[in-house]
Amino acid sequence: MLLLLYLCCSGGKCELQESQPAQLSNRPTVKPSNNEPQAFPEEERASLPVFTMDYPRIQVPFEFTLWILLASFAKIGFHIYHKITIWIPESCLLIVIGLIVGGIMHAVKEEPPTALSSNAFFLYMLPPIVLDSGYFMPTRPFFENCGTVLWYAVVGTLWNSVGIGISLFAICQFEVFGLQDINLQENLLFAAIISAVDPVAALNVFEDMGVNEQIYIVIFGEGLFNDAVTVALYSMFSFLADMPVVESADVFLGVARFFVVAFGGVLFGLLFGFAAAFTTRFTHNVRQIEPLFIFMYSYLAYLVAECFAISSILAIITCAITMKYYVEENVSQRSCTTIRHVVKMLATISETLIFFFLGVITVTVEHEWNWAYIVFTLVFAFFWRIIGILVLTQIINPFRTIQFKYKDQFGLAYGGLRGAICFALAFTLPDSINRKDLFVTGSIAIIICTVFIQGISIRPIVEYMNIRKTNKDMHTINVEVMEHIVCGVEDLCGQWSHYYWKDKFKKFNDRVLRRILVRDHRAESSIVSLYKKLELQNAIDLLDTPIGDLSAAPSIISLQDEKKEASRPKKKFMAADVRNMHDILSKNMYKIRQKTMAYTNKYNLPDESRTREILIRRHASIRRTIRAGSFRDPPERNIPRSQKYYSLQPGGDLEAAFALRRRSHGSGSGDVDHLSAHVQFAGASARSSSRSSVPMRRLNTIEEMKNPAEQPAVSVHPPPRSNGEDALNKTGPGSLGGSSLRGRRGPVPAPRRSSSDWVEEDANDSEDTGERVDPPQLPPPRGWVPENQDPGENGAGNALIRQSPHRSMRF
Amino acid sequence: MGASQTHSEYQYLADKTGFSLEQIKNLHKRFQQLSGNEDTISKENLDSIPALANNPIRKQIIDAFFDKRNQHQEEVGSFEEIGFEQFLMVMSHFRPPTLKTTEEEKEALRKEKLRFLFNMHDTDNDGVITLEEYRKVVEELLSKSGAIGQEAAKAIADAAMLEVASTNVPHMAPDDFYEGITFEHFEQILKGLEMESRMHIRFLDVDTTTMRCGKSTS
């Protein structure tokens, strides 16, 4: 409930905010007919009107709401048939819808909303988008690649704008084109505008395809920071464009200003970020308004920076990055969820609206079409981008550990779509520019060309080129071993490269910053914080009231799952078990290099599936323990009893299986059932599951399982299953491992599950199934797909045979 | 060897190991630091590196340095002490590929790295990583965390082993026994993995442990 309320409030707040600029508009209307009855009350006699209508009073927010709704409906529409958005980027579709609406408005001679004035854009539409990027930036890979990112973002943007600007200026010198009146400053200004890269479409594609994290983060960071650079350049050039004569001193001042703008932005961002973190230290008594601080502080950073004419984008990004870490430790779980959702929501709305308006305005605005200028703009934009990437990569490559190959460079170059920022900047050009219409047309042309042509073709091309994929899904023990070796050897040869700075910062962070900014500031190891999260989650879920259903984790989960189902069919094969196992490893091993990636894109919350996975399993099991009564009727009776170790089938099976598991958590399934199975197993003949009806019972069960009495029963082991040869029999007694592991650690799904399978099979094999007739059937947990295996030929060997076709993807 | 290392000796090592002269110089400095200006280095020297103290597979890593198999020669067994040349040879397994390396070279490099990794697991040098050996490594890996006990480690090792078995011998008869991971199988399981980009260390040309993080702009 609370969450909904927050969402509503924040949503309302956003609309209010964004509707203010619309007041500047000279009565934009969606439905002209609504204007008619406006003067009603005044014309009547003084008698009390029974029914009045005061449309002008609500007009602006009303219409703005309608616009947002319309755009959001369009978004819903695309995702009904989700395959569309796989092949055609959402921005394309939004532009198309915008074009249609614009066409209709044009036909009925209606003015477009002028809500997109310069102020409105910079004060209301841009901050949410940038905040979103900053807040969900994958911090670790970013800082690992910060040099490259900044290199591309700053130098690349300068390169592009100067290159394009000068080449266009050269083109303008030809008399045939009739463009002599555009001077160099204006060309540079225009070039700066169209240098702003908007990588959303490319990022979506890259993420879907699992392109390696290096390219991903470079494109992400480039898009983020080059906005800042572009806006700075834009303000500089538009200032220059106003000046009749530019002296060389002005150029130097311009450069100096550029640095002031950049570092000032970072400084303000840090300031407000720490202020926000510090504030949330004290908000634990007023959880209701916790999320508000995040938005207010970041917005404040933005506004103050804007006030001093320094880079407000940098300010808000820095603010978000700075405070995120501390704030998320200070605020409650729910506030955290709220913050994330609202950030996402605001950003999505803003961006949707911008693309939508882009479509509308393309039709309704006055255009000045000059073939030569626009064609050359397109050519130069593409040309300079490619050359720029090639050259810059050659320079940066020697400094990089993992160098960009030509394929990667192509991916980088081709990912450079133009988007919202470019459009908004063009549209907010001052009127003093004499060929403004041409610039607007040129910008729209380049946006539409890149978004449609590159945006649609990037997926097939990247697929065809087979750009280096990430190894995200391939974590195995061996990989972990390898990483540790590398770490060790690195230590041994005493060269840490940039991990050194990371360690330094971590120390400083633990000693100083956390002490000041975080309420509960003990430096935690990741396992402790994970445990805390687990406990918190338990507490929430044990309530299991309607509020509980609205609570934080499930909503994130559902968001994630829907997204997964919707647009990432390929990710369905994720081997949950491998992941879990890797999770154990990564959470417990030497911690120099934990590679937990949180990728994110514009429309999605970052993936926390690992922690989440554990959470789900653990709290589901506890919940089941509490509701013991429902154990009795296992509805999954007909699920075949032997489940494959690691078996995983592509396609719907897995989703279905997961859904089944998640939705039927009330019914006896999973952990507890088979825990109780073990109780029976261990020779405790009482098989009433009511023993598990007390939460603590679970722990007792665990104790029992460690009982030596159990050992003979569980002396089955995977390798013996696959052969039964004597070589491994000596390890028999030790092989209790699987089961007591299960007891001790709730979130160790894979080994636990497997051992129980072995045990079950053993139950079948060893003839004394009489008294433990039915070990409760295991429902397929996530990632486990039951296979209809003939009980007659159960044997791990077969299991191995069966699963083999599906395994290739993990290796 | 020692401080009087001449240029030509460096050159010889550079040709042999593929390191640049600068890198060799730096590594030599480190070597001397580790050995206490001796010509050879012993296990105890490496054992006392503080930075390594937390690494759960410290023992394996150190052993790898004294393993004759990692010296690009056909010998087996282990050294008691290693000189700088041997030290470099082991280090050379972690050279990152450059843009210039050809495909074949990369393949060779990859195989070399894999072999190194394999040798690390295969302690008794019989060409097969048995379950025992594998378990041992996993146990070591997890030994630093109190939360997970030996049994868990075993279970994980078993699972991993099973994983390997099922990848490599898909059509195993029920009675077959998967003896252990051979090098070919090992290659197979790590096939999709970009060894070059993962198992490497960027040996610095600059002699400093406080390298800047490469912020080249702004």
Side-chain angles (χ1 to χ4, degrees):
Chain A
M1 286 303 253
L2 230 49
L3 178 75
L4 268 189
L5 207 65
Y6 286 155
L7 282 179
C8 290
C9 289
S10 321
K13 182 195 76 198
C14 120
E15 276 167 19
L16 281 181
Q17 277 179 4
E18 291 183 356
S19 60
Q20 281 163 7
Q23 285 165 357
L24 306 171
S25 65
N26 43 0
R27 190 167 296 179
T29 49
V30 191
K31 299 185 173 68
S33 56
N34 284 1
N35 278 346
E36 305 306 328
Q38 56 187 352
F40 246 82
E42 277 74 27
E43 288 174 11
E44 292 292 311
R45 282 187 304 109
S47 69
L48 193 71
V50 178
F51 175 77
T52 63
M53 190 160 161
D54 189 5
Y55 183 67
R57 191 168 161 244
I58 59 150
Q59 184 185 16
V60 171
F62 179 73
E63 282 169 5
F64 210 83
T65 314
L66 282 186
W67 275 108
I68 292 179
L69 263 184
L70 186 58
S72 310
F73 282 143
K75 237 176 131 72
I76 297 177
F78 310 147
H79 286 285
I80 286 179
Y81 186 62
H82 58 78
K83 276 187 184 139
I84 294 180
T85 46
I86 290 182
W87 295 108
I88 302 174
E90 220 174 72
S91 43
C92 289
L93 295 170
L94 279 170
I95 293 176
V96 168
I97 304 256
L99 285 173
I100 295 170
V101 172
I104 295 170
M105 287 173 60
H106 194 61
V108 298
K109 301 277 185 298
E110 194 55 48
E111 289 270 316
T114 47
L116 206 61
S117 70
S118 171
N119 255 343
F121 175 75
F122 282 110
L123 294 188
Y124 306 109
M125 311 275 270
L126 191 55
I129 299 179
V130 186
L131 177 65
D132 168 70
S133 309
Y135 197 79
F136 291 104
M137 156 126 64
T139 324
R140 182 190 306 267
F142 170 73
F143 282 109
E144 279 171 9
N145 293 288
C146 67
T148 315
V149 168
L150 290 178
W151 176 251
Y152 281 121
V154 178
V155 182
T157 311
L158 284 173
W159 169 285
N160 275 333
S161 24
V162 173
I164 298 173
I166 290 176
S167 342
L168 280 178
F169 182 62
I171 293 299
C172 291
Q173 302 311 305
F174 291 97
E175 284 188 22
V176 271
F177 302 135
L179 295 163
Q180 282 94 337
D181 57 327
I182 307 180
N183 61 17
L184 180 61
Q185 295 98 300
E186 287 173 347
N187 269 318
L188 284 174
L189 175 59
F190 177 63
I193 292 173
I194 62 170
S195 304
V197 185
D198 180 19
V200 182
L203 287 182
N204 276 336
V205 171
F206 284 3
E207 193 181 2
D208 279 0
M209 303 187 41
V211 168
N212 74 353
E213 69 188 56
Q214 310 282 333
I215 301 183
Y216 184 93
I217 192 64
V218 165
I219 291 197
F220 186 97
E222 189 199 352
L224 193 55
F225 284 96
N226 103 345
D227 288 352
V229 177
T230 313
V231 173
L233 278 182
Y234 172 84
S235 69
M236 195 173 85
F237 283 138
S238 65
F239 188 68
L240 286 182
D242 279 345
M243 302 197 339
V245 187
V246 181
E247 290 168 24
S248 56
D250 293 334
V251 177
F252 283 111
L253 285 179
V255 173
R257 182 183 162 74
F258 183 82
F259 282 101
V260 170
V261 162
F263 286 112
V266 172
L267 195 71
F268 271 100
L270 283 176
L271 211 66
F272 280 96
F274 283 128
F278 191 65
T279 311
T280 50
R281 205 187 150 161
F282 305 103
T283 52
H284 54 280
N285 289 329
V286 278
R287 294 276 188 221
Q288 299 89 337
I289 54 169
E290 243 170 14
L292 199 63
F293 286 108
I294 309 313
F295 298 104
M296 292 302 109
Y297 270 112
S298 35
Y299 196 49
L300 210 58
Y302 187 87
L303 290 181
V304 171
E306 190 84 338
C307 169
F308 290 110
I310 55 180
S311 176
S312 42
I313 297 183
L314 272 182
I316 200 171
I317 292 172
T318 325
C319 179
I321 295 176
T322 315
M323 71 183 172
K324 180 185 179 184
Y325 173 78
Y326 305 103
V327 161
E328 295 206 337
E329 286 211 17
N330 276 335
V331 302
S332 71
Q333 189 80 16
R334 260 184 232 172
S335 304
C336 183
T337 314
T338 311
I339 293 167
R340 289 167 172 222
H341 274 262
V342 174
V343 168
K344 274 292 164 209
M345 190 185 69
L346 294 181
T348 314
I349 290 173
S350 279
E351 197 162 81
T352 309
L353 273 183
I354 289 176
F355 277 113
F356 190 63
F357 280 139
L358 187 138
V360 172
I361 276 164
T362 306
V363 179
T364 51
V365 89
E366 301 249 322
H367 287 291
E368 182 189 345
W369 187 263
N370 182 315
W371 273 108
Y373 197 75
I374 285 163
V375 169
F376 276 112
T377 303
L378 283 175
V379 172
F380 285 139
F382 200 67
F383 172 78
W384 283 104
R385 168 101 190 153
I386 289 188
I387 298 291
I389 293 285
L390 282 180
V391 171
L392 293 181
T393 314
Q394 296 315 311
I395 299 173
I396 197 79
N397 250 350
F399 297 99
R400 287 186 58 80
T401 328
I402 302 168
Q403 300 174 330
F404 287 124
K405 299 173 193 152
Y406 286 111
K407 277 180 183 176
D408 306 339
Q409 293 170 30
F410 180 81
L412 284 173
Y414 208 72
L417 314 187
R418 269 64 169 180
I421 305 267
C422 172
F423 166 70
L425 286 177
F427 198 71
T428 55
L429 275 174
D431 288 331
S432 57
I433 309 279
N434 51 11
R435 299 295 277 270
K436 184 187 172 187
D437 288 346
L438 178 61
F439 289 159
V440 172
T441 311
S443 309
I444 292 180
I446 196 172
I447 293 169
I448 291 186
C449 275
T450 53
V451 166
F452 277 78
I453 297 175
Q454 281 174 253
I456 293 177
S457 63
I458 191 166
R459 181 183 295 265
I461 287 184
V462 168
E463 250 163 35
Y464 175 75
M465 289 189 35
N466 198 13
I467 286 185
R468 182 171 42 177
K469 300 283 171 55
T470 177
N471 297 312
K472 244 197 310 188
D473 299 343
M474 296 185 192
H475 291 298
T476 59
I477 317 280
N478 296 303
V479 179
E480 289 292 344
V481 172
M482 188 168 73
E483 293 192 342
H484 282 71
I485 296 173
V486 172
C487 276
V489 177
E490 224 166 46
D491 290 338
L492 221 155
C493 72
Q495 295 185 337
W496 299 284
S497 55
H498 52 253
Y499 286 105
Y500 175 81
W501 282 107
K502 210 184 100 186
D503 285 353
K504 280 275 171 233
F505 176 73
K506 195 169 179 324
K507 241 176 221 162
F508 174 67
N509 183 36
D510 282 343
R511 288 205 185 135
V512 181
L513 290 181
R514 285 181 61 93
R515 227 166 258 271
I516 302 171
L517 300 175
V518 179
R519 184 153 46 90
D520 192 9
H521 55 74
R522 279 162 297 138
E524 290 171 336
S525 71
S526 63
I527 188 108
V528 175
S529 67
L530 179 78
Y531 186 73
K532 255 172 67 177
K533 275 187 193 164
L534 288 169
E535 289 305 312
L536 194 71
Q537 197 58 36
N538 274 336
I540 293 172
D541 286 324
L542 285 180
L543 294 176
D544 203 26
T545 57
I547 293 175
D549 284 341
L550 271 179
S551 74
S555 58
I556 293 184
I557 290 163
S558 59
L559 210 71
Q560 291 280 334
D561 292 338
E562 279 154 23
K563 168 66 180 172
K564 259 185 192 159
E565 282 169 40
S567 69
R568 291 202 274 168
K570 284 173 194 157
K571 295 275 156 112
K572 277 183 194 164
F573 308 136
M574 287 270 261
D577 300 312
V578 172
R579 228 172 37 201
N580 282 323
M581 189 172 282
H582 172 254
D583 191 64
I584 304 167
L585 291 169
S586 69
K587 285 279 190 295
N588 289 286
M589 289 192 303
Y590 192 37
K591 262 189 317 236
I592 286 188
R593 297 193 178 180
Q594 269 180 31
K595 304 243 170 187
T596 35
M597 286 289 307
Y599 275 172
T600 165
N601 68 20
K602 272 266 187 330
Y603 308 120
N604 251 44
L605 291 168
D607 187 18
E608 292 176 323
S609 46
R610 282 185 193 148
T611 356
R612 206 189 50 202
E613 185 84 15
I614 301 178
L615 287 176
I616 297 171
R617 283 170 183 276
R618 169 149 171 160
H619 70 67
S621 67
I622 289 203
R623 193 186 294 173
R624 262 178 251 119
T625 325
I626 286 184
R627 297 196 202 139
S630 55
F631 289 163
R632 299 298 174 100
D633 50 345
E636 296 89 0
R637 241 326 116 89
N638 48 358
I639 287 172
R641 69 176 37 192
S642 88
Q643 290 171 2
K644 295 302 182 225
Y645 190 69
Y646 273 147
S647 112
L648 188 65
Q649 282 181 335
D653 280 359
L654 188 137
E655 292 296 328
F658 178 51
L660 175 73
R661 178 170 167 75
R662 219 164 31 100
R663 276 159 208 158
S664 68
H665 55 68
S667 58
S669 54
D671 301 346
V672 168
D673 268 26
H674 89 90
L675 269 184
S676 57
H678 269 274
V679 178
Q680 300 156 11
F681 225 38
S685 57
R687 39 186 261 237
S688 82
S689 54
S690 68
R691 287 185 59 187
S692 342
S693 62
V694 193
M696 289 315 292
R697 193 62 231 160
R698 191 158 178 269
L699 293 176
N700 292 347
T701 319
I702 292 157
E703 300 281 318
E704 279 180 26
M705 296 212 309
K706 285 197 283 187
N707 210 337
E710 191 197 14
Q711 281 201 6
V714 206
S715 70
V716 192
H717 209 262
R721 289 233 62 72
S722 59
N723 69 340
E725 209 80 48
D726 53 358
L728 285 162
N729 280 351
K730 58 187 172 210
T731 69
S735 63
L736 167 63
S739 59
S740 54
L741 157 74
R742 161 182 11 151
R744 197 170 307 164
R745 283 186 56 86
V748 186
R752 173 178 54 195
R753 178 72 59 193
S754 51
S755 69
S756 87
D757 288 345
W758 306 326
V759 170
E760 274 189 31
E761 283 174 16
D762 181 50
N764 279 345
D765 289 344
S766 57
E767 295 297 321
D768 55 350
T769 45
E771 61 163 37
R772 32 182 129 103
V773 193
D774 35 15
Q777 307 295 334
L778 303 179
R782 184 177 194 181
W784 286 78
V785 178
E787 286 184 37
N788 280 310
Q789 191 184 12
D790 190 353
E793 52 161 36
N794 61 349
N798 290 329
L800 295 178
I801 295 172
R802 291 276 183 84
Q803 64 193 345
S804 56
H806 313 305
R807 306 184 40 81
S808 52
M809 31 172 265
R810 278 198 300 278
F811 285 100
Chain B
M1 298 204 209
S4 65
Q5 191 91 24
T6 61
H7 184 80
S8 63
E9 269 171 281
Y10 276 164
Q11 189 59 51
Y12 160 74
L13 288 173
D15 292 341
K16 193 169 174 192
T17 58
F19 285 114
S20 75
L21 289 179
E22 280 298 308
Q23 288 168 335
I24 292 182
K25 216 159 96 196
N26 288 328
L27 285 173
H28 192 229
K29 233 175 232 165
R30 175 68 176 171
F31 179 83
Q32 284 174 326
Q33 189 190 341
L34 289 178
S35 64
N37 282 329
E38 298 287 322
D39 278 352
T40 55
I41 214 166
S42 65
K43 286 194 182 185
E44 286 71 39
N45 290 137
L46 294 187
D47 227 4
S48 59
I49 301 174
L52 207 57
N54 285 327
N55 201 320
I57 52 172
R58 180 180 71 234
K59 189 173 160 299
Q60 276 87 345
I61 292 173
I62 292 173
D63 282 347
F65 272 84
F66 294 89
D67 194 330
K68 283 184 184 166
R69 286 174 295 172
N70 293 332
Q71 300 291 336
H72 297 282
Q73 277 137 17
E74 297 306 311
E75 302 169 53
V76 292
S78 67
F79 296 106
E80 283 305 307
E81 296 193 321
I82 52 168
F84 182 56
E85 188 180 335
Q86 282 87 12
F87 184 72
L88 270 192
M89 287 307 270
V90 178
M91 283 290 183
S92 72
H93 286 95
F94 296 90
R95 259 182 310 130
T98 56
L99 283 180
K100 274 174 259 161
T101 40
T102 60
E103 283 302 314
E104 298 96 69
E105 278 174 330
K106 261 186 200 159
E107 200 44 49
L109 207 63
R110 179 186 159 80
K111 207 149 196 164
E112 207 177 275
K113 286 174 197 242
L114 276 175
R115 178 59 80 174
F116 183 87
L117 210 56
F118 183 81
N119 285 345
M120 202 153 193
H121 286 83
D122 180 23
T123 42
D124 60 357
N125 190 34
D126 58 353
V128 174
I129 303 174
T130 56
L131 185 67
E132 303 275 288
E133 287 167 339
Y134 205 89
R135 269 188 191 162
K136 199 149 182 249
V137 174
V138 177
E139 266 167 38
E140 296 278 346
L141 269 181
L142 291 169
S143 61
K144 282 278 164 190
S145 121
I148 289 197
Q150 279 208 327
E151 290 85 4
K154 269 191 193 129
I156 288 175
D158 295 344
M161 195 73 174
L162 205 61
E163 199 179 40
V164 176
S166 57
T167 319
N168 288 296
V169 196
H171 301 291
M172 198 191 253
D175 293 337
D176 274 356
F177 167 48
Y178 188 69
E179 311 230 345
I181 308 168
T182 61
F183 184 64
E184 287 70 37
H185 290 177
F186 195 69
E187 253 184 312
Q188 192 68 27
I189 48 173
L190 290 175
K191 199 167 64 181
L193 196 69
E194 275 211 346
M195 298 292 292
E196 309 89 57
S197 66
R198 291 200 149 213
M199 189 167 150
H200 69 70
I201 290 168
R202 215 181 116 206
F203 294 98
L204 303 173
D205 281 337
V206 194
D207 172 35
T208 170
T209 48
T210 57
M211 186 69 182
R212 281 158 42 81
C213 77
K215 222 180 255 186
S216 45
T217 53
S218 84

